[in-house]
Amino acid sequence: MTLYDERRVALMKEVDADAFLVANLEGSDAATLRYLTGFTGEGALLVTREGGLLLTDSRYTEQAGREVPRLPVGPVTGEYPQAVAAALKERSLKRVAFASRRLSHYWVLRLRGRRAFRLVALEDPVMALRSIKGEAEIEKIRRAASVAEAALADLLETIRIGMTEREIALDLEWRMRERGAEGPAFELIVAAGKNSALPHYRPGERKIAEADLLLFDIGAQVDGYCSDLTRVVAVGRVPARAKELYDLVLRANRAGVEAVAPGASARDVDAAARAVIADAGHGDHFGHGLGHGVGLEIHEGPHVSPRSDETLQARMVTTIEPGVYLPGFGGVRIEDLVAVREGGRELLTRFPSEALVKVG
Ligand code: ZN
Ligand code: ZN
């Protein structure tokens, strides 16, 4: 059995149905399709106890032959839902499960109300499998992290007052691709000065200036797997208030990382870091969750937040990324990637964070 066969068998053990439907059109669910088959094109997948069937169209037939030589491939010449319905009927697959978080309402409308089969909505059963990584997956994430880190280290040498956020973001992306990244894992964030107080800022024309905090939230994609790293530097000089903020967030980051262990509740890990920030009077300035799983997608399970009911398990990979955002001043977030290990944790991030350093 290949790795992909094993994943499909594991999925069907969790699913009370004859088939599980995955559809990836225009990138709608690329990660699930890739995870279960290795196929990176568009198409629909029916996972069954007998194995599976990949339905794809002429744009991807050749690619499917290369990427999934062992999986039966059916041609789609018309509409995808139509082809899926025909395949289900032909194989007498009566109960068809799908992930309600992933399959679009369009598909449900096109498939429901038929005599041949019944749809069963599940939340996202593949995510539970994906959140526990294999060693080969962790290695890919580690490589993606090292590519992003090497790019950032080199870039920091070149930072000069007057450069714009957009110039810097573009330069970073170039440097990551040069080192073998397929691309950025997400739209890279380079936020200067007051903009660093916006957690999901998009780089603009702002020129970096003396005494700015400069926040980088960056990630590379290598062999399909993502990395995620946030570091903050000071431009020209390190203002006292910025240093104080940085040291607080660093303490929260360390507390969060140290709380990561198999069997720990994700909520408690969040609380360990959040308490440090709340005790310093900045509870209201840390609005987002502490971390998220990373893998084929930049945001996946587990969710490490005050609302999470998940328990950490060995070989999960999560970010730990506390932040404090002061409107009108700026923000600091320090984000590391951590693999849960028997008896503790392994930091996948190597980039130093022990002090707020000056650039430019
Ligand atoms: Zn990030
Ligand atoms: Zn993140």
Side-chain angles (χ1 to χ4, degrees), residues 272-299:
R274 198 169 298 276
V276 174
I277 291 171
D279 287 350
H282 284 299
D284 292 343
H285 298 129
F286 175 27
H288 56 75
L290 181 66
H292 54 87
V294 171
L296 286 168
E297 288 172 304
I298 188 62
H299 290 130

Side-chain angles (χ1 to χ4, degrees), residues 147-178:
V147 163
E149 291 179 21
L152 181 61
D154 283 1
L155 173 107
L156 288 180
E157 304 288 324
T158 69
I159 297 277
R160 296 291 172 264
I161 284 169
M163 287 175 163
T164 69
E165 296 164 334
R166 273 168 51 85
E167 277 168 9
I168 296 169
L170 186 62
D171 191 355
L172 257 175
E173 180 170 337
W174 180 274
R175 288 170 193 270
M176 292 196 306
R177 286 182 184 272
E178 259 183 343

Side-chain angles (χ1 to χ4, degrees), residues 186 217-218 228-230 321 335:
F186 51 90
D217 188 347
I218 65 169
D228 198 358
L229 170 79
T230 306
E321 50 178 306
E335 175 176 33

Side-chain angles (χ1 to χ4, degrees), residues 211-230:
D212 271 352
L213 282 172
L214 184 58
L215 181 147
F216 297 90
D217 188 347
I218 65 169
Q221 197 169 26
V222 173
D223 215 355
Y225 283 78
C226 301
S227 67
D228 198 358
L229 170 79
T230 306

